[in-house]
Amino acid sequence: MSGARVQASQPSTNRYIDTLTGSTGNYTLAVAGGSGDVYVSPSDPSTAGWSYTQVQKTASFAADTTPEERSIDFIVVATDAFVTGKVVLPDGTMPKAYSVYISLRGAGGTEFGNSQGESGSFSVSVLAGTYTVSVHSEDQTLGSPSVPSVTVAS
């Protein structure tokens, strides 16, 4: 799959890197020695139509300067629908772009989410199922109203 975002984090170094897959779905990340977590996600979750629903994978390298290589493959699944909406502040204005994250969590722990854009709108690609909706803002003085669960049919 081309254009997927592959991310790696190394807690021991507080380093985070990412790259996009090429036209053949391949990618390369240059990381330091030690262990790190690797994850894949859509570069644009609002239009992707797919998701990676497994846990992140771990890669370990010797803590020296010896060049090493690992192959890590990810299996993604096609999603069934998009949950869309709009975030509006109590005074009717839009929050700062990308400052609010909308999370949909299924009963089995699977989570999908995306930030709102400049117009306040958001789109989250999900699998069929019932989801608890949570809204998280960078502005800690803001809360969110109770949002009913969302059910998506297959």
Side-chain angles (χ1 to χ4, degrees), residues 16-152:
Y16 170 86
I17 56 173
D18 69 335
T19 190
L20 296 177
T21 58
S23 61
T24 61
N26 293 326
Y27 65 95
T28 301
L29 291 171
V31 297
S35 291
D37 297 321
V38 185
Y39 188 79
V40 65
S41 62
S43 57
D44 182 357
S46 65
T47 61
W50 65 270
S51 183
Y52 178 68
T53 59
Q54 303 301 310
V55 297
Q56 58 198 12
K57 298 187 178 190
T58 300
S60 296
F61 297 92
D64 59 24
T65 58
T66 305
E68 297 179 68
E69 187 176 299
R70 301 279 186 281
S71 291
I72 300 176
D73 295 329
F74 297 94
I75 308 267
V76 300
V77 295
T79 52
D80 296 305
F82 288 92
V83 174
T84 61
K86 190 168 188 174
V87 178
V88 180
L89 296 175
D91 66 3
T93 63
M94 301 303 140
K96 181 177 80 173
Y98 311 106
S99 65
V100 177
Y101 187 81
I102 296 80
S103 169
L104 289 92
R105 181 176 292 269
T110 303
E111 185 172 347
F112 303 91
N114 198 6
S115 297
Q116 101 298 350
E118 292 180 14
S119 68
S121 297
F122 66 88
S123 178
V124 180
S125 181
V126 298
L127 298 170
T130 299
Y131 297 93
T132 301
V133 180
S134 301
V135 181
H136 311 279
S137 174
E138 286 179 2
D139 183 345
Q140 298 300 311
T141 65
L142 296 174
S144 68
S146 178
V147 180
S149 295
V150 174
T151 299
V152 175

